[in-house]
Every structure is written in C-alpha cells, then in structure tokens.
Amino acid sequence: YLETYLGHTAPVYRVACSPYYPSAFLSCGGDWTVKLWSLKDVRPVASFQTLDLSAMVHDVAWSPHSSTV
C-alpha cells in the first residue's frame, strides 16, 4: 500500500474514485459513515453519518452526470 488514511472506526466496505476530480474519493463503512477524501490529506475532507444507526452504509457511488452529486 502507498498511504494510510485515518477516519473510519469499523471495516471499510467500499471505496469509489471520483470520475471528475482524480484526487478525490469516497469511502463507506460499518461505522455508519460516508467520508470524502483527498489524496493530499490523510484525514477526511468531510464526513456524513446516517440518522438510522441500525443501518450500516454498504456502498457509495459518484453520479455519472453531475460532478457535485
């Protein structure tokens, strides 16, 4: 591996690279969060948590039509 990113407190289920901005990627995990990352930082740029703490986030995806969704 090339880099370690610190942010999730449970297993990471999916990582998705942005098709619009090469240094941005998303991750989701068993800690009920989705995190937005930049290759330039080892800490997340933004973190989003589900309101329903009984439902883990298993997948993330970028919109194929909009760079901000």
Side-chain angles (χ1 to χ4, degrees):
Y1 58 86
L2 300 174
E3 190 68 62
T4 299
Y5 294 89
L6 306 172
H8 286 284
T9 58
V12 173
Y13 295 130
R14 181 83 60 188
V15 174
C17 297
S18 171
Y20 304 101
Y21 190 61
S23 67
F25 63 97
L26 295 170
S27 64
C28 67
D31 57 358
W32 304 283
T33 63
V34 172
K35 297 189 184 292
L36 172 64
W37 303 86
S38 170
L39 291 176
K40 300 172 186 172
D41 296 312
V42 295
R43 301 272 183 204
V45 174
S47 183
F48 310 94
Q49 186 169 354
T50 62
L51 295 176
D52 181 5
L53 295 180
S54 65
M56 290 181 271
V57 182
H58 291 279
D59 202 3
V60 291
W62 294 90
S63 169
H65 306 292
S66 175
S67 64
T68 58
V69 177

